[in-house]
Amino acid sequence: MKIKPIKDLVHNLSEWNELVSQTKDLTDKVVQDVNFLRQEINWEEYNLCNTSFLGCKFKQYEAIYLIEKGAFVYPKFASIPYNPYRGKLYTWQELMEGYNQDNDESIDLKIYKHFKKHKYNPSVSEALAQRLHDLSIDDCLRRILEYDENGMTKKKVIGFMGGHSTARNSEFYNETAKAAKLATSKGYFVVSGGGPGIMEAANLGAYMANYANEDLMNAINILADLDFIDDQRTEYLAKNYMTNAQKVLEIYPNGAESLAIPTWFYGHEPSNLFATNIAKYFSNSIREDMLLTISLFGLVYAPGSAGTTQEIFQEAAQNHYGTSGYYSPMIFLSKKRYVEDTAIYSVLHQLATGRPYKELLFLTDSADLAIDFIENHPPIKAI
């Protein structure tokens, strides 16, 4: 029987039992969010050198013994609406629990309201809880993407960026959805920032990868049939914005996988419902860096505003210096936006002169050509 490698970070009771079946040496091990209250464990059998227990539950005398023997025991945090010691990514069903069209009592909104109260001056306890939460999300992402020793992921991640206010059924909403659908069907793993607009289009396209193109367009038409509130100009304030998304999920229940990396920093934006895995952060800066860094197989930039422009040059800096260990393709999905209106593509071409990533820059208006370029230009290992 093949023995599984010993893990340094244990996420649940099953992994704990697997660990202690192989060793009693817990040196440098971290055990997270495990309930030991009903377990009969002789802790005297274990080597507890630099062992950490994060948010685990113990009988009181056991916790005292572990601390006396030099283990680090971090308690549960009181009165917060989130678990800092998560062992898995979120799903939209978890985040939207409690939501209905007339009264949003969702877990997602409760966490945002809590975060908003502490946004600028968090207590030490609150700040620590947020950092531990985001560290747990980091770990969950590493496990789902499966990094090797050289920093390459087993999943071939492609990121999609663009405007959060891009209307459903507009030109580049549709092209983004088509590109994400095509990429997913070819074995790539789509990631977005998890919000509305271009981000939703990317996760929608990925979700619809197992359906026909006609089904994708039908889904987009359903999404775009909106009942606006008081003539609001922002699309996602429409009364049936979320319920239309739920309608699409009911009609097309067998969606493909994709990833969203949103943040409570922009809590006023709804998370889209088409990502199957949601890595939601408190820290926006960590979230943005993670979103760009994991997209090793390419980033597709649809039209956007200041946030998208920032992400373009942030990725350009990573490519310029090879800080992710690889140079990654950068595809600009709109000739008008990136040449005529802003000249961003021209600036990057000049910036990339003499650098390996210059050959990884591509400008197009076509979803098919964007994914074709990615297929023919894999990431280049940085020297």
Side-chain angles (χ1 to χ4, degrees):
M1 182 178 72
K2 185 177 180 181
I3 298 176
K4 295 182 179 179
I6 294 176
K7 296 180 178 180
D8 290 327
L9 176 57
V10 171
H11 304 89
N12 51 55
L13 192 58
S14 176
E15 291 183 2
W16 165 262
N17 290 331
E18 184 180 300
L19 170 66
V20 298
S21 70
Q22 298 181 55
T23 182
K24 301 295 183 183
D25 185 4
L26 302 183
T27 299
D28 296 327
K29 299 291 186 290
V30 178
V31 184
Q32 176 175 287
D33 200 29
V34 175
N35 187 347
F36 290 105
L37 289 175
R38 296 184 180 180
Q39 307 303 310
E40 294 299 327
I41 298 175
N42 181 7
W43 291 105
E44 294 181 1
E45 297 179 354
Y46 295 89
N47 181 5
L48 297 166
C49 180
N50 202 36
T51 306
S52 297
F53 295 91
L54 307 180
C56 298
K57 293 181 180 179
F58 300 98
K59 302 177 183 73
Q60 186 176 16
Y61 69 86
E62 289 183 321
I64 293 171
Y65 175 83
L66 292 169
I67 293 169
E68 287 178 346
K69 290 300 180 180
F72 300 98
V73 178
Y74 296 83
K76 291 279 188 180
F77 289 82
S79 303
I80 59 175
Y82 59 93
N83 179 9
Y85 306 113
R86 292 189 63 84
K88 59 183 179 180
L89 297 179
Y90 292 98
T91 64
W92 73 262
Q93 291 91 337
E94 177 184 0
L95 290 172
M96 296 305 292
E97 183 180 347
Y99 172 86
N100 66 59
Q101 184 170 311
D102 300 312
N103 183 30
D104 188 354
E105 294 290 338
S106 65
I107 298 296
D108 195 28
L109 185 60
K110 288 177 181 177
I111 296 175
Y112 170 62
K113 287 180 176 179
H114 176 86
F115 169 70
K116 191 176 180 181
K117 290 179 183 177
H118 306 276
K119 187 173 182 178
Y120 300 110
N121 293 295
S123 65
V124 172
S125 176
E126 179 65 33
L128 181 60
Q130 291 179 19
R131 297 300 178 267
L132 286 169
H133 171 277
D134 287 0
L135 177 64
S136 296
I137 296 297
D138 281 351
D139 173 65
C140 293
L141 275 176
R142 279 191 285 269
R143 285 187 287 130
I144 197 173
L145 298 178
E146 300 181 72
Y147 278 89
D148 66 20
E149 63 277 5
N150 296 315
M152 176 52 70
T153 57
K154 186 174 181 179
K155 280 188 165 61
K156 300 189 293 183
V157 183
I158 297 177
F160 285 80
M161 314 288 174
H164 68 276
S165 59
T166 304
R168 290 166 165 174
N169 212 8
S170 61
E171 178 185 2
F172 285 104
Y173 184 101
N174 292 1
E175 285 301 311
T176 298
K178 291 174 187 175
K181 181 180 187 298
L182 181 59
T184 304
S185 69
K186 290 179 176 292
Y188 293 98
F189 189 57
V190 164
V191 59
S192 84
I198 292 299
M199 295 173 280
E200 180 187 69
N203 290 125
L204 170 67
Y207 181 88
M208 297 295 292
N210 299 326
Y211 292 95
N213 290 335
E214 292 77 11
D215 292 320
L216 173 61
M217 294 314 300
N218 183 51
I220 292 174
N221 287 332
I222 293 170
L223 292 173
D225 184 18
L226 295 173
D227 179 15
F228 290 96
I229 303 170
D230 296 329
D231 196 29
Q232 295 283 357
R233 287 181 294 175
T234 305
E235 180 179 0
Y236 51 80
L237 291 180
K239 184 178 181 181
N240 57 341
Y241 185 86
M242 285 294 186
T243 52
N244 277 11
Q246 291 171 328
K247 187 183 298 184
V248 169
L249 294 172
E250 290 170 4
I251 297 172
Y252 303 106
N254 301 312
E257 272 198 311
S258 71
L259 174 65
I261 308 183
T263 172
W264 281 291
F265 190 85
Y266 294 131
H268 59 286
E269 291 184 355
S271 298
N272 77 70
L273 305 189
F274 299 106
T276 53
N277 306 280
I278 303 176
K280 195 154 191 176
Y281 283 85
F282 289 105
S283 171
N284 184 49
S285 57
I286 294 174
R287 164 256 188 180
E288 284 189 337
D289 184 73
M290 181 63 73
L291 182 56
L292 296 169
T293 300
I294 68 173
S295 299
L296 294 173
F297 283 80
L299 282 149
V300 179
Y301 294 98
S305 189
T308 305
T309 302
Q310 175 185 318
E311 289 160 347
I312 289 170
F313 284 100
Q314 191 172 342
E315 173 63 14
Q318 289 191 4
N319 264 347
H320 202 79
Y321 299 108
T323 52
S324 298
Y326 293 86
Y327 306 109
S328 301
M330 297 177 70
I331 293 86
F332 297 86
L333 191 59
S334 175
K335 294 178 180 178
K336 183 177 185 302
R337 173 63 182 171
Y338 291 113
V339 174
E340 297 176 26
D341 294 346
T342 65
I344 288 174
Y345 185 73
S346 303
V347 171
L348 282 184
H349 249 281
Q350 188 279 328
L351 184 68
T353 299
R355 300 281 181 164
Y357 74 98
K358 183 164 186 172
E359 65 186 74
L360 300 178
L361 303 177
F362 185 61
L363 176 69
T364 184
D365 289 322
S366 164
D368 290 340
L369 292 178
I371 303 308
D372 183 67
F373 183 85
I374 287 174
E375 281 197 288
N376 289 294
H377 294 80
I380 301 171
K381 185 78 172 72
I383 297 174

